[in-house]
Amino acid sequence: MAVRDEVRDAQRALATLDAAHRRAVARLDQALARRAQVLAEADRQVAVARGAVEAAIADMARQVSADLTAAVLGLDVAEVRRLARSAPPATNDHARAR
């Protein structure tokens, strides 16, 4: 009979360890899902900020010239020209006042 008790004890221990593992996996899955949401939002914010920088460069190039903009900002003039062609005109109050 002692062997059966040992087997039952081992089965209980395995069940307890398996349950702990399943809970840990569930917590990891939740943490990974939260991380993915946070990273997606951060990526969106970076894209918005990058777009604003590109729009500001394009607006400057349209107002003072691509060559001067490139010199002042330390950028390649070809990149400034590309941005000036591709970025939509600024819609801020300064642009409307002109």
Side-chain angles (χ1 to χ4, degrees):
M1 294 276 188
V3 173
R4 287 189 177 168
D5 289 340
E6 288 177 17
V7 169
R8 266 183 282 196
D9 289 344
Q11 287 174 334
R12 280 190 204 109
L14 283 172
T16 300
L17 293 169
D18 182 52
H21 175 262
R22 279 186 273 123
R23 286 190 304 273
V25 168
R27 285 190 307 269
L28 175 60
D29 289 343
Q30 288 175 342
L32 289 171
R34 282 191 307 270
R35 178 180 182 264
Q37 290 173 344
V38 168
L39 287 176
E41 176 58 18
D43 287 346
R44 186 195 66 75
Q45 291 175 358
V46 166
V48 168
R50 180 173 286 127
V53 168
E54 290 176 356
I57 293 169
D59 191 42
M60 185 177 182
R62 288 183 194 110
Q63 290 185 41
V64 299
S65 84
D67 292 329
L68 182 56
T69 299
V72 168
L73 300 179
L75 300 173
D76 180 59
V77 71
E79 178 66 7
V80 172
R81 286 187 181 122
R82 183 193 67 76
L83 289 172
R85 281 191 308 273
S86 65
T91 59
N92 62 22
D93 291 334
H94 175 71
R96 279 187 234 127
R98 288 188 287 146

